[in-house]
Amino acid sequence: MRHLLDFRGWARTEVESLLDTARVMAEVLERPVKKVPALQGFTVATVFFEPSTRTRLSFELAARRMSADVVSFAAQTSSLQKGESYKDTLLTLEAMGVDAYVIRADAAGVPHQAARWVKGVVVNGGDGRRAHPTQALLDAYTLLEALGSLEGKKIAIVGDLLHSRVARSNVELLPLLGAEVWGAGPPTLLPQGLPGARLTSRLEEALAEADAVMVLRLQKERMEAGLIHLQDYIAHYQVTEARLKKAKPGAPLLHPGPMNRDVELEGTLADSARSLVNRQVHNGVAVRMAVLYHLLVGRER
Amino acid sequence: MRFKAELLNAEEMRRALHRIAHEIVEAGKGVEGLALVGIHTRGIPLAERLARYIREFEGKEVPVGLLDITLYRDDLSEIGLRPQVRQTRIPFEITDKAVVLVDDVLYTGRTARAALDALMDLGRPRRIYLAVLIDRGHRELPIRADFVGKNVPTARSEVVKVKLQEVDGEDRVELWEREAL
């Protein structure tokens, strides 16, 4: 792969190879010295045109764990405020010798555009509602850790699918590994179509015999637009202990964060043994190390 | 490539490894605090065989680990390929142990250097030895092996192929000539 923008055109073997590398990186993170020299000499820039905590920190840690130099760009404290364009910002970084750009943007397509502007590699760190491929990779990694294999496994993705780039990337990725993906949410928060997933507004249908449940953040800021009433959502779509009885016993729970406790997910469940939320964050570093390794090592400089 | 010579047959390989196993025990004055670490790919079965021989004549188990040095290669950021990274698994504490790194061929010394770096990140061994089945010369770094199955003077244009039962279905070491393009 030249860049990681989304999973269009990806083969199962490519995903598996990347996840195999992530397993090796996970072992590196267990060592007394959690650092290898693999990316010595490379410079990685995290270019976040939209705020983020975990994705940016996770990428920066991943790059540092492999001895890359890291520069961090945040829109709020940059010349963007003086009217500099995204393109000029990226070309400035390129002139400073950056090799890889991890780009987060609130508008869909910015990383794709960036890949045309810069010579280095581009990793999509989340763009608009479109894609968040490294989140999907760490979700897949965490699911594989919990379930062993995704072949024929039913994964239910619950909540605001309409606005979720995480859901879109998971719907592209998980079927590549053999999973059957269901999406459930209120009709106003379901997209018109989502190839790769079976959509339903009946939560019980998606949860029935599910091997794992991925709960999405309910984007409260959008509730004012009248897409749904918060209390109605909680009443019908909150993932609760009682509703989870429809899923397979002990089915693990995932959430990409940040989490609205007692809104999309019952607070006690978030802290329960079946919650893999912290595991997802933990695995994120190893998965992003694997992504940077696959993109940077061996490319022409 | 053109086949030139057989450097070791199965029996000669067995004898060479037997001798190395004895030398390791001799150098360590026993097997107390000893551990073997095989370097991917063919160093691993070789380390397992050495551990088996040591068990046969000393009656004691020596732990065996496996080490992948890919992430420590000094040419990773320059070469036009992305080597597959494999598992490192050393399920024992190496600090204060006498660790024997095991590989099939010692050539430039760069793999051994990477292995030393990787090992140091995993703990602080009391002593590190290097055991190789074939030393073919052409060192680029000041590294030498402590235990050698066979020293083979080679030309740079030649290729040493180590074949092991566990990986290749037979035990044999061959010398090949890389044909001019």
Side-chain angles (χ1 to χ4, degrees):
Chain A
M1 61 183 178
R2 171 86 174 83
H3 305 284
L4 175 56
L5 303 173
D6 51 40
F7 297 110
R8 284 181 198 172
W10 274 55
R12 181 176 185 151
T13 49
E14 286 176 280
V15 180
E16 287 172 341
S17 159
L18 209 142
L19 295 175
D20 282 345
T21 304
R23 277 179 207 105
V24 175
M25 299 305 182
E27 181 271 317
V28 168
L29 298 177
E30 300 295 320
R31 296 179 187 177
V33 178
K34 300 170 178 54
K35 194 164 180 146
V36 289
L39 294 189
Q40 209 161 37
F42 285 106
T43 304
V44 176
T46 51
V47 187
F48 278 54
F49 298 120
E50 183 191 74
S52 152
T53 308
R54 70 197 70 209
T55 304
R56 185 171 60 78
L57 291 178
S58 181
F59 266 112
E60 290 181 5
L61 208 49
R64 289 198 171 102
R65 296 291 195 216
M66 288 195 295
S67 305
D69 293 311
V70 179
V71 288
S72 182
F73 169 90
Q76 300 88 329
T77 53
S78 73
S79 287
L80 276 183
Q81 305 301 323
K82 301 176 192 167
E84 187 174 65
S85 70
Y86 285 2
K87 183 177 180 179
D88 285 336
T89 300
L90 289 164
L91 293 180
T92 300
L93 288 167
E94 181 161 85
M96 291 179 184
V98 166
D99 300 291
Y101 306 81
V102 180
I103 299 178
R104 155 74 62 98
D106 53 6
V110 172
H112 293 70
Q113 195 58 44
R116 290 182 204 111
W117 292 330
V118 295
K119 293 189 192 79
V121 303
V122 174
V123 184
N124 186 350
D127 65 326
R129 302 178 187 184
R130 222 190 139 274
H132 195 350
T134 58
Q135 176 69 42
L137 282 166
L138 74 88
D139 290 340
Y141 184 95
T142 307
L143 284 166
L144 284 167
E145 224 178 25
L147 303 174
S149 154
L150 293 188
E151 199 60 58
K153 297 281 163 59
K154 178 179 178 182
I155 313 296
I157 304 181
V158 179
D160 181 1
L161 278 93
L162 182 66
H163 300 107
S164 176
R165 53 192 172 209
V166 173
R168 271 181 187 75
S169 282
N170 267 298
V171 166
E172 278 181 358
L173 180 67
L174 298 179
L176 277 176
L177 296 169
E180 179 194 338
V181 182
W182 283 68
T188 48
L189 294 181
L190 286 179
Q192 285 295 319
L194 201 55
R198 298 178 65 169
L199 300 181
T200 176
S201 56
R202 292 180 54 234
L203 181 60
E204 314 75 56
E205 194 181 9
L207 291 182
E209 293 300 307
D211 292 280
V213 181
M214 188 181 295
V215 187
L216 299 174
R217 183 171 79 89
L218 192 64
Q219 307 193 12
K220 281 183 191 166
E221 61 273 19
R222 311 202 196 264
M223 297 309 111
E224 283 139 33
L227 287 172
I228 193 167
H229 187 272
L230 191 60
Q231 290 312 318
D232 280 351
Y233 183 89
I234 292 170
H236 297 104
Y237 291 98
Q238 185 186 74
V239 174
T240 63
E241 194 93 51
R243 288 187 175 129
L244 263 184
K245 291 204 163 73
K246 297 251 183 252
K248 290 213 175 128
L253 278 171
L254 288 85
H255 192 302
M259 192 166 19
N260 299 307
R261 280 174 178 270
D262 292 314
V263 178
E264 62 260 8
L265 181 64
E266 209 167 40
T268 50
L269 276 175
D271 303 321
S272 70
R274 61 203 290 179
S275 164
L276 299 181
V277 175
N278 290 332
R279 196 70 204 156
Q280 287 171 275
V281 177
H282 176 84
N283 290 338
V285 179
V287 165
R288 289 173 174 125
M289 285 168 78
V291 167
L292 291 173
Y293 178 80
H294 274 237
L295 285 171
L296 284 171
V297 172
R299 67 178 285 272
E300 274 182 37
R301 304 184 82 186
Chain B
M1 283 203 294
R2 185 171 55 84
F3 176 77
K4 284 185 86 172
E6 181 181 78
L7 299 176
L8 289 178
N9 62 28
E11 182 53 26
E12 289 164 337
M13 187 187 290
R14 191 192 63 78
R15 274 205 297 272
L17 290 172
H18 246 258
R19 178 172 47 76
I20 291 177
H22 278 289
E23 287 173 358
I24 289 172
V25 175
E26 189 67 30
K29 298 184 177 64
V31 297
E32 214 49 55
L34 192 68
L36 301 175
V37 172
I39 301 172
H40 269 291
T41 302
R42 286 173 181 76
I44 294 167
L46 288 176
E48 284 162 352
R49 285 193 205 184
L50 290 171
R52 196 171 69 234
Y53 294 154
I54 291 172
R55 187 176 59 233
E56 278 168 17
F57 54 72
E58 287 292 305
K60 287 180 182 158
E61 290 289 338
V62 177
V64 178
L66 46 106
L67 184 69
D68 182 71
I69 54 98
T70 307
L71 296 170
Y72 289 82
R73 284 176 60 156
D74 60 5
D75 54 356
L76 259 186
S77 60
E78 291 149 30
I79 49 174
L81 62 103
R82 171 177 25 94
Q84 187 198 348
V85 198
R86 292 154 300 189
Q87 288 286 346
T88 288
R89 197 163 56 245
I90 302 189
F92 49 85
E93 186 60 57
I94 63 165
T95 296
D96 290 332
K97 286 233 166 47
V99 177
V100 183
L101 278 171
V102 183
D103 206 358
D104 54 352
V105 179
L106 178 58
Y107 183 27
T108 61
R110 289 177 187 273
T111 299
R113 184 214 58 88
L116 289 170
D117 283 353
L119 211 53
M120 299 292 208
D121 279 356
L122 296 169
R124 193 173 183 282
R126 173 167 51 83
R127 159 108 214 220
I128 301 176
Y129 295 101
L130 178 61
V132 296
L133 183 60
I134 302 288
D135 182 347
R136 62 165 294 191
H138 302 285
R139 218 74 80 235
E140 292 170 5
L141 299 171
I143 281 173
R144 65 164 183 81
D146 299 284
F147 313 109
V148 180
K150 183 172 178 137
N151 282 293
V152 185
T154 59
R156 278 194 179 270
S157 59
E158 290 170 332
V159 174
V160 174
K161 282 191 185 178
V162 173
K163 295 181 175 175
L164 297 178
Q165 195 70 42
E166 298 89 331
V167 185
D168 313 285
E170 62 173 330
D171 282 344
R172 187 175 149 90
V173 182
E174 298 166 342
L175 185 67
W176 290 69
E177 177 69 47
R178 207 181 278 123
E179 307 217 78
L181 292 172

